[in-house]
Amino acid sequence: MRSFYRFCLLPLIALVSGSGLAQKTTSLPTSRLKTLDSTLTLLHDQAQFNGVVMVAEQGKVRFRKVLGVANSETSEPLTTSSAFNLASVSKQFIAMMVMQLQERGQLTYDESVQTYLPDFPYSGISVRDLLNHTSGLPEYFDLAQKYLGPLDTLTNDRLIQLLHQYQPPLVFQPGDRWEYCNTGYVLLGSIVAKVSGMPIETFFDQNIVRPLKLKNTYIYYHKSSTIPRHRVYGFRRENGRNVPDDLIRLDGVVGDGNVYASAEDLLVWSQALSSEKLVKAATLQEAFTPVKLNDGTAYPYGFGWMIEDNGNVLMHTGSWVGFRTLILRYVTSKQTVVVLTNGGNAAGRIVREILEGKPIKLPQTHLITNVRLVDGTGTPARVASVRMRADRIWEVGELSAFPNETVTDGQGRVLAPGFIDSHSHHDISTKPDAIPALNQGITTIVIGQDGGGYRMDTLQARMKRQPAAINVASYTGHALIRQHVMGVNGLYRTAKADEVDRMKALLQTEMSQGSLGLSTGLEYEAAFFSNRDEVIQLAQVAADSGGRYISHIRSEDAMMDDAVDEIIEIGRATKMPVQISHLKIALRNHWGQSTRILAQLERARAEGVNITADCYPYDYWMSTLRVLFPKRDYTNLTSAEFAVNQLFDPAQSVLVRFAANPAYAGKTVGEVAQLRQQSPAQTLMGLVAEAAAYSEKNPDAGGIEGIMGKSMDDVDVKRFLAWPHTNICSDGANDGHPRGYGAFTRVLGRYVREQKLLPLETAIQKMTSLTAEHLGIKNRGVVAPGYYADLVLLNPDTVQDNARIGDNKALSTGIEAVWVAGQLVYKDQKSTGVYPGVLIRR
């Protein structure tokens, strides 16, 4: 279903409005007009401008530029006489007709709308509220879509009927605030027709067009009986081609748009506003007076005009279907700027910046051509080109380079969306070039995992202080807020009711600042002693904010069934998506039971629980020695022997770090046992005790011990990777486990190319769009127009992880180039030194 845009987009208004922008000089420098001329030519050459720009000063035209076509299907050229749909610039004409009727005593601004439209169902709304956008009325688009048939045309009368019949609630009480409302101006159009006793187009022609001798100005709407003169047709550029984008079934209304005018006529109109040809100066002044709200404050909007610089700058923009429009009046210097486009592109901001002598930043384009596009949707690869504009993907298809456009020849390689790592421990504050991630094609990492992480405001400050090459999103860690409330020494118990309430308040704050949701590391001591009720209460806070839940579940070995049941129960209770972090089976006796686990997850999904998982492509994990004691009985030899026999292989499990005796780092537990002349079980207990003692003596030390434990079966890993609801993750960091440098390329090399477990398209989907879906991240993970231009160019024949135990930072091969936000950040296994990464908020 098509999304309908407002006739006037507020973001566009924001772009071209500001304070203190009026021209202070009496004449525009010729140099600025030359810059404007060359800039518009450049934009047109790049398919970013199709329209007319005219600038007048002291009543004389100083500049005109016409580029492009009036009709994309016939290629009829534009002229300064071409009549464009003004979109929201139409509103000032509607307001003028209301002012004329008021001046003649035929209506009063402060009279109720019901006085003129008896079927209007809201008694407290005045004509002035409609003019000022303070009525509180909802926009009519949703109402029309909901209740009109697909072949019905919305008209002014039909809109009043819909309001009367369904009476949608007001957004706010009239006069309480300003909020742009197209509905109000459609009603004003109806009032003009009702009070004048004639069709609005007739009143418009008699009272504005003829007195001003306008040549190409009229009202035209869908199924209109008028015959348009020099009508311009809207279109938009879609993947390298122009396609019609003109009037639709909502365009039977008049008031919020559908006034057509040429640039020449708009200059005449602007001149007339300095005279009394249409209304008296005192009457017109109300149009340029900021509206007063009920609380006594003012908003800089009058009757169809945005007001800046104490009234010295008057302007309005418009945006509808393929049309983008701007009229800008510098009152003191008597300058008028008109920008009319019909190609779905807006140049108003750039035009204004140039004329006001401000630095301009043109949207840069870059074409990647000659690639096999794997777009992230799971569909088969196809030959295509991709054009980026600024930080977004603009076009995908058969594209030719613009004049002087930068081009990357993909040489037949695969172009894919940048990979999204749903479970990351990479630290970009110490490594902002993000080589560990980029060398495997990752452009977005998701941190705050296993219950840890940082507060959102801390992350924002860190990224502002030290920008990074990749994007970051974050969950809020359960243990993080638990420690904040309960203290570092109070974690080894269940939380009290008041502590849970304080944690909930803290989590709510984090959610309001853009956290993706709640993450837990229930197998770790900081959260292990929490009960289900505590976790569910916190998860509900995330759910109520539209967030999600991700968990290193309470057990991946002896009590895994209960742990899986717990996360399913959380999903069932909160009704939000829940995800198992790095799904694995770590108990030797349960190897091969991956099908049973997946069946359990599928049953939950069939019941309506949106449970998913992520997985990394290794049969050894990395964690702390303490997780090898599920009962937390670190001095129990029986439990240590159970760990040695069932939970990890001492001969293949390597100590990554051990601060109490750094000489042990890099050795297997079996090798350390031989050095100590102990059994592996005794060594395991000894290592845990020595690490605890070191921690007690060095309370500020972090990362005291870590182990890469061999305890998974490759068959299970493959099954989990292949499950349709599993996305790929690394669970990696800048150091330690080789997954920090090679998880994604290992999937592409080992499991796609060599073992053919997955088609390339499916594997990339699991690294991109599926991950974005599981995280609730928008506009990333697919190569399609409008998505962020995070891209990776790879060679599927050579892509391979090279990081191994003992050489854990070896760079992957086959990742040839990576772009983030349209900027090249990695090429030929090197950083480009560019840092466009952002903090992605929910």
Side-chain angles (χ1 to χ4, degrees):
M1 183 175 68
R2 174 177 174 172
S3 296
F4 295 109
Y5 294 90
R6 307 297 189 235
F7 276 105
C8 189
L9 295 178
L10 295 184
L12 184 58
I13 287 178
L15 280 173
V16 296
S17 64
S19 59
L21 295 178
Q23 288 281 344
K24 303 302 182 183
T25 58
T26 57
S27 183
L28 281 168
T30 302
S31 60
R32 294 183 190 175
L33 299 179
K34 290 182 177 179
T35 299
L36 179 59
D37 185 84
S38 61
T39 299
L40 291 174
T41 300
L42 174 63
L43 291 174
H44 178 69
D45 289 344
Q46 295 180 348
Q48 297 186 77
F49 176 75
N50 187 97
V52 178
V53 174
M54 291 186 71
V55 179
E57 187 175 77
Q58 305 289 334
K60 296 182 180 180
V61 175
R62 287 282 314 275
F63 177 87
R64 59 167 57 87
K65 188 75 170 180
V66 184
L67 294 167
V69 296
N71 186 329
S72 63
E73 295 189 310
T74 65
S75 297
E76 175 189 347
L78 285 169
T79 70
T80 55
S81 300
S82 300
F84 290 73
N85 188 326
L86 299 182
S88 272
V89 172
S90 302
K91 289 179 171 66
Q92 57 198 254
F93 290 97
I94 304 302
M96 175 59 75
M97 288 186 280
V98 173
M99 286 187 285
Q100 289 175 329
L101 291 171
Q102 185 271 343
E103 193 173 81
R104 298 169 191 176
Q106 293 180 260
L107 62 75
T108 304
Y109 296 144
D110 296 312
E111 190 68 66
S112 170
V113 174
Q114 287 182 330
T115 302
Y116 309 106
L117 303 175
D119 287 338
F120 182 68
Y122 307 96
S123 60
I125 298 175
S126 69
V127 173
R128 187 185 299 275
D129 288 324
L130 302 183
L131 286 163
N132 286 143
H133 297 298
T134 57
S135 68
L137 286 167
E139 288 286 11
Y140 66 82
F141 304 103
D142 293 337
L143 188 68
Q145 276 195 286
K146 186 174 183 180
Y147 296 112
L148 291 184
L151 300 180
D152 294 337
T153 296
L154 181 67
T155 64
N156 286 49
D157 289 343
R158 187 72 178 102
L159 174 58
I160 295 172
Q161 292 172 13
L162 290 174
L163 291 171
H164 180 79
Q165 183 174 357
Y166 298 105
Q167 297 188 28
L170 296 179
V171 180
F172 55 87
Q173 288 303 303
D176 276 1
R177 70 176 192 251
W178 185 92
E179 186 170 301
Y180 199 84
C181 180
N182 293 286
T183 308
Y185 269 78
V186 176
L187 293 170
L188 288 171
S190 297
I191 289 172
V192 170
K194 187 69 177 289
V195 172
S196 69
M198 65 184 73
I200 187 172
E201 54 264 46
T202 302
F203 187 86
F204 178 65
D205 187 65
Q206 291 180 2
N207 292 277
I208 294 180
V209 175
R210 293 183 187 179
L212 299 183
K213 298 180 181 179
L214 303 178
K215 299 178 181 178
N216 293 290
T217 298
Y218 45 81
I219 288 174
Y220 178 75
Y221 48 90
H222 192 43
K223 297 188 177 179
S224 175
S225 60
T226 59
I227 300 174
R229 301 180 300 276
H230 303 300
R231 171 162 121 75
V232 173
Y233 291 79
F235 68 92
R236 67 181 184 277
R237 186 175 170 92
E238 190 172 278
N239 293 331
R241 295 179 175 84
N242 293 333
V243 297
D245 190 10
D246 203 63
L247 301 187
I248 58 176
R249 63 191 180 94
L250 298 183
D251 281 311
V253 297
V254 176
D256 58 341
N258 290 335
V259 173
Y260 281 69
S262 67
E264 292 174 345
D265 282 357
L266 284 177
L267 293 182
V268 174
W269 158 257
S270 179
Q271 282 288 102
L273 296 177
S274 300
S275 69
E276 293 190 337
K277 290 182 179 179
L278 299 177
V279 292
K280 296 176 182 177
T283 301
L284 184 61
Q285 188 55 42
E286 281 213 69
F288 308 142
T289 302
V291 57
K292 288 288 182 65
L293 303 178
N294 291 339
D295 63 3
T297 61
Y299 190 88
Y301 193 95
F303 295 170
W305 288 94
M306 291 292 294
I307 304 162
E308 303 174 16
D309 194 26
N310 297 318
N312 288 317
V313 178
L314 305 170
M315 56 81 63
H316 213 289
T317 61
S319 177
W320 183 245
V321 290
F323 296 95
R324 305 290 183 269
T325 59
L326 166 69
I327 184 169
L328 176 62
R329 301 180 65 227
Y330 298 100
V331 178
T332 304
S333 56
K334 297 182 180 180
Q335 295 163 351
T336 299
V337 181
V338 173
V339 181
L340 302 176
T341 72
N342 62 316
N345 43 56
R349 173 185 60 82
I350 294 172
V351 170
R352 182 170 183 175
E353 287 175 348
I354 291 172
L355 294 178
E356 293 177 356
K358 295 181 177 180
I360 61 170
K361 185 176 181 180
L362 296 180
Q364 298 297 309
T365 69
H366 181 82
L367 183 66
I368 306 174
T369 190
N370 188 22
V371 295
R372 288 175 54 213
L373 179 62
V374 178
D375 65 10
T377 64
T379 54
R382 64 188 190 274
V383 175
S385 296
V386 174
R387 174 171 281 120
M388 300 179 283
R389 179 172 60 184
D391 63 349
R392 302 276 183 144
I393 296 166
W394 181 18
E395 299 179 316
V396 179
E398 297 180 13
L399 309 174
S400 300
F402 294 137
N404 302 314
E405 184 176 31
T406 59
V407 178
T408 295
D409 183 353
Q411 299 181 334
R413 308 296 195 231
V414 165
L415 185 70
F419 303 152
I420 303 172
D421 187 353
S422 64
H423 189 112
S424 168
H425 298 279
H426 294 96
D427 184 359
I428 58 169
S429 65
T430 60
K431 208 167 183 61
D433 60 11
I435 292 298
L438 288 173
N439 94 102
Q440 51 183 313
I442 297 169
T443 57
T444 298
I445 59 172
V446 182
I447 60 174
Q449 302 292 348
D450 301 325
Y454 304 95
R455 301 282 295 273
M456 290 298 295
D457 55 359
T458 300
L459 281 175
Q460 179 66 48
R462 289 176 66 175
M463 290 199 70
K464 184 176 182 180
R465 184 170 59 251
Q466 175 57 72
I470 61 174
N471 307 307
V472 180
S474 182
Y475 285 90
T476 296
H478 174 213
L480 176 72
I481 58 177
R482 209 168 191 264
Q483 180 173 322
H484 182 85
V485 170
M486 299 173 67
V488 68
N489 296 317
L491 299 173
Y492 309 109
R493 59 175 174 83
T494 57
K496 300 173 184 177
D498 67 305
E499 291 171 331
V500 174
D501 287 342
R502 287 158 58 197
M503 284 189 269
K504 289 163 64 176
L506 186 55
L507 178 58
Q508 179 61 55
T509 298
E510 293 299 295
M511 296 302 298
S512 69
Q513 294 177 349
S515 167
L516 296 182
L518 177 68
S519 88
T520 60
L522 299 176
E523 193 172 31
Y524 300 110
E525 287 178 311
F528 179 80
F529 295 96
S530 62
N531 57 29
R532 282 196 185 188
D533 180 66
E534 173 187 329
V535 179
I536 288 176
Q537 285 197 58
L538 289 169
Q540 189 64 59
V541 171
D544 292 344
S545 296
R548 293 163 184 254
Y549 177 81
I550 191 169
S551 180
H552 179 125
I553 56 178
R554 208 174 287 270
S555 174
E556 297 171 331
D557 41 63
M559 295 178 286
M560 186 170 182
D561 286 348
D562 185 65
V564 172
D565 178 75
E566 180 177 26
I567 191 172
I568 290 173
E569 176 58 28
I570 291 168
R572 183 182 292 117
T574 63
K575 296 181 173 57
M576 73 170 164
V578 295
Q579 179 148 334
I580 298 175
S581 292
H582 43 64
L583 182 59
K584 66 174 73 73
I585 297 174
L587 184 69
R588 182 183 295 273
N589 281 351
H590 287 176
W591 286 0
Q593 294 190 23
S594 48
T595 53
R596 181 181 63 80
I597 296 296
L598 292 175
Q600 182 181 4
L601 299 182
E602 286 290 358
R603 282 194 299 272
R605 290 184 62 83
E607 294 170 8
V609 178
N610 185 359
I611 186 165
T612 58
D614 55 32
C615 184
Y616 55 76
Y618 299 86
D619 57 7
Y620 53 99
W621 44 260
M622 181 172 173
S623 190
T624 69
L625 291 163
R626 299 170 79 88
V627 300
L628 293 166
F629 290 83
K631 297 180 181 179
R632 302 303 184 261
D633 49 348
Y634 307 111
T635 61
N636 187 328
L637 182 59
T638 300
S639 292
E641 289 175 342
F642 175 80
V644 167
N645 294 323
Q646 287 291 325
L647 304 185
F648 79 117
D649 181 350
Q652 298 186 66
S653 299
V654 178
L655 286 171
V656 177
R657 56 182 178 270
F658 193 74
N661 188 341
Y664 289 168
K667 293 181 171 59
T668 67
V669 174
E671 289 171 340
V672 174
Q674 289 179 349
L675 288 173
R676 296 163 68 111
Q677 297 183 343
Q678 295 175 324
S679 71
Q682 291 172 322
T683 297
L684 178 60
M685 290 192 301
L687 293 174
V688 170
E690 291 162 25
Y694 183 90
S695 178
E696 188 172 346
K697 292 180 181 178
N698 302 273
D700 295 330
I704 292 169
E705 51 92 354
I707 181 176
M708 282 190 286
K710 173 66 175 71
S711 67
M712 290 175 276
D713 180 63
D714 191 52
V715 172
D716 290 328
V717 173
K718 289 179 182 178
R719 288 172 180 165
F720 288 145
L721 287 172
W723 188 45
H725 306 292
T726 298
N727 66 261
I728 308 302
C729 75
S730 76
D731 194 17
N734 295 349
D735 203 350
H737 197 299
R739 65 194 178 192
Y741 276 73
F744 285 73
T745 44
R746 181 176 176 85
V747 170
L748 297 173
R750 177 182 176 87
Y751 291 109
V752 172
R753 184 179 64 247
E754 296 173 7
Q755 299 188 15
K756 304 191 184 321
L757 174 69
L758 302 167
L760 177 65
E761 293 86 348
T762 301
I764 287 177
Q765 181 190 26
K766 285 173 170 285
M767 299 174 177
T768 56
S769 67
L770 186 66
T771 312
E773 177 187 336
H774 289 173
L775 299 169
I777 290 177
K778 307 297 183 184
N779 298 320
R780 297 182 196 273
V782 175
V783 180
Y787 280 72
Y788 285 100
D790 299 342
L791 300 168
V792 55
L793 185 69
L794 63 94
N795 186 336
D797 298 326
T798 62
V799 65
Q800 181 66 54
D801 67 308
N802 295 312
R804 300 288 185 269
I805 296 175
D807 190 14
N808 63 314
K809 296 182 180 180
L811 297 183
S812 301
T813 48
I815 300 296
E816 302 195 352
V818 182
W819 292 263
V820 172
Q823 298 189 54
L824 185 67
V825 294
Y826 181 82
K827 183 175 173 57
D828 298 331
Q829 297 188 310
K830 295 178 182 178
S831 167
T832 64
V834 178
Y835 302 121
V838 298
L839 178 61
I840 299 173
R841 301 176 187 270
R842 177 182 46 78

